[in-house]
Each structure stands twice: as C-alpha cells, then as structure tokens.
Amino acid sequence: MIFGSPLLTRLVSLFKQMPGVGEKSAQRMALYVLRSERSAIEELARTLNDVKEHVGLCEVCANVSEAPQCVICSDARRSDETVCVVEQPQDIYMLERTGAFRGRYLVLHGVLSPMDGVGPEELRFGNLRQRIEQGGTREVIVATNPTVEGEATALYVSQLLQGLSVRVTRLARGLPVGGSIEFLDEATLGRALEGRQDV
Amino acid sequence: MRLASLRTVQWRTIEDREIEFSPGVNVLVGGNGQGKTNLLEAVQYLALGRSHRSARDDEIVRFGSGYFFVRGDGEGDAGQAFSIEAGFTPPRSKRLKVDGRPLTRLTDLTGVLACVSFGPEDTELARGAPQLRRRYVDYTLAETSRASLKALTEYRRVLQQRGSLLRESDNSGSATSADLQVWDDELVRLGCDVVVRRAEALLDLGPRARTLHQALGVGADLRLFYVVQAAGQRLEVGPALQGFLARAREGALEEAFRARLRQRRVAEQVRRANLVGPHRDDLEFELDGRDLRRYGSQGQCRVAAVALKMAQAECIRERRQDRPVVVLDDVFAELDERRAAGLWEIVCKHHQTFLAVPRRSDVEFGEGDAIFRVESGVLTREK
C-alpha cells in the first residue's frame, strides 16, 4: 500500500483506470486532491456528478450533448447536404477547428473490430439510411482513421448506403500542410503520389 | 553499413565486454558450445529487435542473472553513425533505443542495421515449411521499403480481424456473408498489394539468385517459381511473372482473388479460418528442371539457400544504396572447397561479415580481417 492510506491507494487505483493515466500520474493526481482546498475538490466532485447526470448523446448524431439534440444538429445555419462520419466525439472538435466544414455529423463511437468484439451493432449507426434519405443529404464524408479497421468501417458505410443517390467520399491522405517531403515517411509519401491532383 | 562495436551484458554465455569489429571479415573460431552462435545472435538481435532463433527474450538472459543488455555502434556506407540499444528485464519489460531515443514500435527498428544471415536453420529454406519462404521474401520487402513493411503489417492485421470474425461464428451462428463483406474487400485490397510487392521483389531476387547460384555451384541452373494462391497460379520468375504483374495492375488479380474467395466461402466458414490470400503463397525451386524440394540433395538445397540469401543481400544493397551486414553461421561446413571459395569471393569480400567456423583452417584470411577465438564465452582477438 502506498502512502500508508487505504483511501488514498483506492483513489490512485481509480485514477489509473482513466485513459492515458499511469501509476505515476495517478499518484500525482491523488496527492493534488489531498493538497487542494476543500471547495475546489467539492466543485470537482459536483462537476463529475453533473456531467454524468446531464450530458448524454445527441439523438441524431450521437455527439455529446446536454440537450436531446446537440448544438450542431440544432444549428439551423448548418447544411444538411453533407454528413461527416467520425469515430469519436473529439474528432468533431478537430474538424470544427478547421472551419472548413459546415455540414452535420455522425459519431460511431468506435470502428469495426471483430478482435475486440465490435461489429456493426456495437457502432452507433442509428438510422443513418433513413436520415440520409429524408434529410436530402447529397454527400457522406467518411472521416475514420486510415487504419485497417477505419478502412473497413468506411467500406461498411458505403455498403449501408448502397442504392441511395448519395455520394460517399473518404478523406484524402498525403502530405501534411507545411510539412517537408524530406521528413515524410515512405508510406505516406506513397499514398500522396497515388492521390496526386492536377495543378 | 558496418557494426563497429558491440557491447553485451549478461547475454547468454558471453563474457560482459565491448568488442571492436573489423569492417571486413570477422571470423569467430571455436569448438561446439563455446558461444559463437550466441555472439552472432546478439548481432542479429540488434537488426531485428528479437532473437532469430528463439522468440523468447527470457531465454537469452544469462542463467541466474536478472536482465540482459546489448548495444551496437556503427555507421552506414555514407558515414552516418547509428547506435542501437536493447535491454530486457523479465518477465516482459523490453526497451529498444536507436541513437539514444526509445522506440515505441518494433517496426521502427527495421532497416537501421540491415542484416542478412545464413545459419543452419536456413538450409530448410528450400524444402522446409512454406512459411520460411514467405518470410524470406517479406524480409527482403521490409528491409527495402517502409511502404512494403506497412503493407505487410496491415495485411496481417486484416487477417487477424477477419479470422476473429470467422472464429466468432461458433458462438452466434456462422459469420454471415454480409458481416464478412467489408473484411473481404479489405483482404483483397491489401492482399493484392502484398502479392504485387512480392512479385516485384522476386523479379529482382530471382535473376540475382540464379547468377549467384551459378557462381557458387557447378553450373546447375536454379529457377524460381512464385505460387500465387489467391490466383491459383504458379509463375516462373521471369517473363511469366512480369506478364502476371502487368495483368494484376489492370485488375486481373483482384478478380481472381474475389472469385476464389467466393468459391471457398463455405470452407472458410466451416473451418473458421482465412483460407485464401498471400498468407498461403509459396515459392518453388527447380534445379536443371527438377523440383529441388523433392529431388535435391542436402548439399544442393544448401547451396540454393545460400544463393537466395546472398541475392537478398544484393537486393537490399542496391535498393538502399547501403551494404547490409552479413552473418554466416557455420556456412562452410557442408560446402565443398570450390563453393566455399566462391562464397568467400562473392560475399565476404564485399560486406562486413561475421563468420563462425569450428576450425581456423576452414577459411583463408585477407588483409584487415579479424580473427577471434571463442572459448567458454570469452573472446580473444588473435589477429
């Protein structure tokens, strides 16, 4: 038992369950709790509870939301013509930061991976087909990661939408902006060559 | 490239110390069980990040001690220095560093120290399990191109995923064709890529192996065949394979692959395994028109295997513009004098070579070569 306190040890083990937190970080966090003002910790505890209580998933796109529909789905200024399919809610955050996309989203909360027991039923496709048909969507952009699983998921999406008059596209792969060819790995450069465009 | 020095700590039976190597041939002379192979293994460990003979790191740790560490320093042909460190503490804490920086993935080590080896186990290359021959081609690919390495890793990944799906079928009915379809598409896409890359590598390896074999052997003609399982074809490495490659690029391979998948669908579901794809490819060899596996003598298989391995060295050298290090464990044992001389001429003169032999009389030495006597794990430089 570390620190000679069963309670603190328990706190460390709870922190360790969080993603990206190892033993050392968990210890640091636990000691931070110990040293902080009571009011700060009370606020932390309250916020944790509130988040669990009030934050859920958007009924349309499965993005995180405090209302039945998320801020993006309920934003009338955004276009229904394009829907972007992403793996995780944080991917939305990254895409929004680009400011280049004004359509809607669908968050799958994962990718197809039979090894981890994840099939189509485990992903949040919702009623995508119906949504596309009724919403007048013209293009679905699949923005899953360029991994084997991400590609398989993209194929699944295009299969799911077969027969609808909707264009299914995939994010391009290649040169990073501001990057230098000199420092690029061969695999990425190879993909960039394959996906070259007219000047 | 060359390995200038090697430091081992608690590495099997080898005495803890730093050894400096010659850029030419390094001969390790010693009786059976004195530690020659253990030392060669350390050199190969730096290249592969794992042992070429046992997959288990805890077996390498010297009996009765807690960990091992090995470090190699060297430089490429263009003079660029590199260092590789590997440490292991049982049960499973392993650390690899290149130029002092820790590696997160084993694949990042690939190519830092390019190494081509020939040991007793490689005699099996010509007539052992098909897996050995696939590994031979794939190693050539991985050492010469990052993109190929990635293609191979991705293909392995899709096999695992698809295999998982096929195996799942025993709990919840059989994996349906609809479930399998996206994985089929991935299997075909990545599988075709692997076949094309292998074919390209073989078109480079084949002619070299043939020439080397002629120089090593008594003029017998070595011919290679690539058996592409997904296409159900056996192609001689030469114009036939070139034609296949051209058609594959136009989609013929994909079509054949898909047809075969459809045909084997039920069998895959019954046996719950991936039955179609480049993971079931093979190579075949003919010596003067006769199947080497079936009719070849021990010596003939060995010479063919040596030629193939040395073709690999040339191939890596040419594509990377850097000569790989060559490790030869007791390779002269079954070669007659003429072939041994041939090997010496072709290989040892052009690469930094690590060579283990039981007797000093087994080799002729040149200027600048180093000779080490190995006795009970202790190395003494004699020349």
Side-chain angles (χ1 to χ4, degrees), chain A residues 113-115 148-149 186-187, chain B residues 146 150 157 161 164 168 186:
Chain A
S113 177
M115 284 163 76
V148 170
E149 291 78 11
E186 281 179 41
Chain B
R146 292 298 297 178
K150 195 172 159 76
R157 182 86 190 164
Q161 290 285 17
S164 233
E168 248 172 46
E186 281 285 275

Side-chain angles (χ1 to χ4, degrees), chain A residues 30 43 49 88 120 124 127 133-134 141 156-157 183 197:
Chain A
E43 200 195 333
N49 249 321
Q88 300 294 346
R124 300 211 171 231
N127 41 7
E133 249 171 337
Q134 293 172 353
I141 304 168
Y156 183 81
V157 172
F183 296 113
Q197 292 168 349

Side-chain angles (χ1 to χ4, degrees), chain A residues 120-131:
Chain A
E121 306 77 38
E122 277 72 31
L123 298 180
R124 300 211 171 231
F125 285 105
N127 41 7
L128 179 65
R129 220 184 134 88
Q130 202 184 337
R131 180 179 163 195

Side-chain angles (χ1 to χ4, degrees), chain B residues 116-341:
Chain B
V116 171
S117 61
F118 190 91
E121 66 279 0
D122 292 307
T123 318
E124 289 299 302
L125 185 59
R127 54 176 172 190
Q131 187 193 359
L132 297 173
R133 291 179 286 280
R134 288 193 292 269
R135 203 182 290 158
Y136 163 75
V137 183
D138 292 349
Y139 183 79
T140 318
L141 283 176
E143 287 292 322
T144 47
S145 141
R146 292 298 297 178
S148 296
L149 177 60
K150 195 172 159 76
L152 289 167
T153 347
E154 287 189 337
Y155 180 69
R156 200 170 311 141
R157 182 86 190 164
V158 78
L159 277 185
Q160 287 173 341
Q161 290 285 17
R162 196 170 177 276
S164 233
L165 194 57
L166 286 165
R167 271 191 305 280
E168 248 172 46
S169 54
D170 65 338
N171 313 326
S172 53
S174 68
T176 63
S177 296
D179 289 336
L180 277 171
Q181 197 178 336
V182 293
W183 297 105
D184 286 356
D185 289 348
E186 281 285 275
L187 187 80
V188 171
R189 180 177 71 87
L190 294 165
C192 287
D193 190 23
V194 167
V195 170
V196 165
R197 288 173 189 277
R198 279 184 183 163
E200 285 167 346
L202 282 167
L203 284 168
D204 195 2
L205 286 166
R208 293 178 195 278
R210 199 171 182 177
T211 315
L212 284 165
H213 187 266
Q214 238 138 28
L216 279 175
V218 243
D221 189 28
L222 176 72
R223 288 179 3 190
L224 272 69
F225 297 82
Y226 179 18
V227 183
V228 185
Q229 191 252 5
Q233 280 184 279
R234 176 184 187 267
L235 301 138
E236 175 160 11
V237 175
L241 187 58
Q242 248 150 12
F244 169 82
L245 198 53
R247 290 191 298 278
R249 291 199 177 105
E250 280 156 17
L253 174 59
E254 190 184 324
E255 210 172 292
F257 201 148
R258 282 188 191 281
R260 207 168 172 83
L261 260 183
R262 275 195 299 275
Q263 189 193 332
R264 302 286 283 159
R265 170 70 86 227
V266 177
E268 284 196 312
Q269 284 168 336
V270 170
R271 287 174 52 187
R272 298 198 200 103
N274 294 300
L275 299 181
V276 185
H279 62 292
R280 298 174 70 100
D281 284 353
D282 200 356
L283 295 182
E284 286 175 8
F285 309 107
E286 279 182 11
L287 209 56
D288 282 339
R290 302 219 308 174
D291 183 5
L292 185 65
R293 202 179 328 181
R294 204 164 304 160
Y295 303 105
S297 71
Q298 173 93 4
Q300 284 174 324
C301 286
R302 199 177 171 90
V303 175
V306 172
L308 287 163
K309 282 291 191 136
M310 296 313 122
Q312 183 173 55
E314 281 193 355
C315 199
I316 293 173
R317 179 178 69 203
E318 190 121 326
R319 294 220 193 166
R320 298 184 39 151
Q321 295 295 307
D322 208 337
R323 297 164 305 158
V325 162
V326 174
V327 171
L328 303 172
D329 192 1
D330 212 3
V331 70
F332 293 114
E334 285 169 63
L335 295 182
D336 55 39
E337 241 170 71
R338 194 145 117 222
R339 288 168 173 162

